Amino acid sequence: MKIFRYLVLLLGLFALGTSVFIATQKPNYSVTRSLVIKNPRSVVFDYVDNYRNWETFAAWILEQNGTNFDYPGNASGKGAEVHWSGDRNGSLKTIGYKTQTTLYQVMEEAGNTTIFHWQFKDTLGGTKVTYRIQGKLDFKSKAAAFFKGGVQSTMAALYERTLTNLSKTLDKEINTFSINVGEAVNRPRIMCLKQYARCSEKEVTRTIKSLLPRMQLFFKRNKIAASGKPFIVYHQFDRVQHEVALSVCMPVRDSIHIMEGSDITFLVYPPHKALKVTLKGDYSHTQKAWQKGFNFIYAKKWLRITHLNITEVYRKSMAETPHPSQWETDVYIPVQPLTLQRERPVVKDSTATQTTNQSIPEEN
């Protein structure tokens, strides 16, 4: 009996001593980790910049069960944020942003604040990603870290796994894609709401990934029912300024009056015949899909209808899944097949066989 009492006393003293030791440990920590990822800087930056992708690589998110995510505004760019609830509740917001170079983010979870600083630099073989984390833990979190080897080693291991996951995810999600050239189909007359944008050629993918969730949020907030999948209209390619003019669109059943001054307007896209090319994979492979379509048209000796704009319909996008390898995009290139040309002769434009150097009218 005395031995049992001594054991209980020793255990009590050990627990007390451990608690005192943990309580006296500094709650602040700072961890910096780097990794070279074998993908272009623009691809890596765009992937990390979009919070919808974090479900595929952030270690502390992957290791939680039953977590629900909400994106109240923009999912990428300065001011972007994500909230989660479940076993743990928290939020993450971008407070500093420099395109393709730097991201500053602040995370709030269980009373703890963590600052993330990302740096992206071109290097031999890909992109060097440097991830610096600064945080402060409460007693419960310090105790959990203590029994796993200490605050520094625990946090370092967590964020090392995050970088490793990011590298593996990009290798799979970005580089896994397929392109299927279909046939000429009849595209119907489409009424839609559009948000126009002009950006550099390098920023097209990032611009679309930023504007598409914004348009979907506009429909949700204004209780507007979409009559189909979102799509992109490409208005113009300016090869001198290296700029692209495009519109992110959502189809609607009826004409809708938009208040003057809004950056969202109403558009009617006319019926036409188009070659359908399907891309399964990340948007960064869109130009490959276009080129396969152009090559097919050239081989068939079809006529490109250049006064109508090329469109991309997002049958399965980031709204349905965070995995880019599962996205499905239908590219529609307006054409007049050879059989129709014989039935109704037309004058072929001298620039019709040009591919992405073709300028397209601003509006239809």
Side-chain angles (χ1 to χ4, degrees):
M1 194 67 175
K2 288 184 179 180
I3 295 176
F4 178 75
R5 289 178 181 174
Y6 283 133
L7 288 174
V8 171
L9 179 61
L10 287 172
L11 288 174
L13 290 173
F14 175 77
L16 178 62
T18 302
S19 298
V20 171
F21 178 79
I22 293 173
T24 57
Q25 296 301 298
K26 293 181 179 180
N28 298 319
Y29 68 90
S30 179
V31 173
T32 301
R33 290 293 183 270
S34 295
L35 184 68
V36 174
I37 296 178
K38 297 178 181 179
N39 278 279
R41 179 161 56 100
S42 59
V43 172
V44 180
F45 179 90
D46 287 347
Y47 198 79
V48 175
D49 178 39
N50 195 315
Y51 285 136
R52 292 177 182 273
N53 296 328
W54 283 52
E55 298 175 43
T56 67
F57 70 86
W60 70 93
I61 291 177
L62 292 173
E63 293 166 12
Q64 294 184 45
N65 295 316
T67 303
N68 298 312
F69 297 91
D70 179 47
Y71 306 90
N74 297 334
S76 62
K78 189 174 181 180
E81 58 184 310
V82 56
H83 297 240
W84 56 88
S85 59
D87 293 340
R88 294 158 61 180
N89 299 329
S91 65
L92 187 60
K93 184 173 183 178
T94 302
I95 57 175
Y97 181 94
K98 188 174 180 181
T99 304
Q100 297 186 10
T101 302
T102 308
L103 289 172
Y104 285 97
Q105 302 159 328
V106 59
M107 182 174 77
E108 301 287 348
E109 186 181 63
N112 300 321
T113 299
T114 307
I115 303 296
F116 298 149
H117 178 204
W118 296 81
Q119 284 188 318
F120 304 84
K121 293 183 178 180
D122 291 323
T123 189
L124 186 64
T127 304
K128 182 180 180 181
V129 181
T130 300
Y131 191 22
R132 186 170 76 244
I133 306 94
Q134 295 172 295
K136 184 177 181 180
L137 301 180
D138 57 17
F139 180 81
K140 183 179 178 180
S141 299
K142 284 197 297 180
F146 171 78
F147 289 105
K148 293 180 181 179
V151 173
Q152 287 295 127
S153 61
T154 301
M155 293 298 103
L158 180 68
Y159 296 116
E160 281 177 357
R161 291 199 299 276
T162 294
L163 284 179
T164 300
N165 290 341
L166 175 61
S167 180
K168 291 180 178 178
T169 298
L170 281 168
D171 283 342
K172 175 187 176 182
E173 296 296 338
I174 301 298
N175 298 322
T176 300
F177 72 97
S178 63
I179 298 171
N180 178 56
V181 179
E183 58 185 3
V185 298
N186 292 316
R187 294 285 288 152
R189 176 176 179 269
I190 301 174
M191 293 186 292
C192 65
L193 295 185
K194 73 179 182 76
Q195 184 168 20
Y196 179 84
R198 199 173 184 92
C199 61
S200 69
E201 293 177 1
K202 295 180 180 179
E203 293 291 304
V204 169
T205 299
R206 190 188 66 81
T207 299
I208 293 172
K209 287 181 178 180
S210 174
L211 291 183
L212 183 55
R214 222 181 280 178
M215 176 64 79
Q216 292 167 329
L217 183 63
F218 177 85
F219 269 63
K220 181 179 179 181
R221 285 178 174 173
N222 291 280
K223 298 180 180 179
I224 302 173
S227 62
K229 294 294 185 179
F231 64 97
I232 308 299
V233 174
Y234 290 89
H235 300 294
Q236 186 181 48
F237 289 83
D238 187 335
R239 294 305 179 185
V240 177
Q241 299 297 327
H242 300 288
E243 290 184 340
V244 176
L246 58 85
S247 289
V248 175
C249 307
M250 288 286 283
V252 292
R253 286 187 174 85
D254 303 301
S255 61
I256 296 177
H257 175 72
I258 302 296
M259 293 181 62
E260 189 175 347
S262 173
D263 59 349
I264 293 178
T265 57
F266 181 74
L267 170 72
V268 177
Y269 200 63
H272 61 280
K273 190 172 285 289
L275 173 67
K276 178 181 176 181
V277 182
T278 299
L279 164 67
K280 185 174 182 180
D282 186 70
Y283 304 145
S284 59
H285 303 294
T286 298
Q287 285 299 304
K288 298 183 185 74
W290 283 39
Q291 192 59 56
K292 276 201 171 185
F294 293 142
N295 292 342
F296 181 88
I297 292 168
Y298 181 78
K300 287 283 188 177
K301 297 182 180 180
W302 289 358
L303 176 65
R304 280 269 315 279
I305 306 301
T306 56
H307 69 276
L308 291 176
N309 302 333
I310 294 174
T311 60
E312 294 171 357
V313 179
Y314 294 150
R315 282 197 291 116
K316 192 173 184 180
S317 64
M318 64 184 74
E320 288 80 30
T321 174
H323 301 281
S325 62
Q326 298 175 16
W327 296 347
E328 295 177 9
T329 305
D330 290 333
V331 179
Y332 291 97
I333 306 173
V335 295
Q336 186 170 318
L338 186 60
T339 54
L340 292 181
Q341 292 178 48
R342 288 170 179 168
E343 294 171 4
R344 186 177 58 190
V346 296
V347 178
K348 186 173 180 180
D349 184 84
S350 61
T351 62
T353 56
Q354 294 179 5
T355 58
T356 53
N357 289 323
Q358 176 71 37
S359 292
I360 305 172
E362 284 283 345
E363 296 287 347
N364 292 313

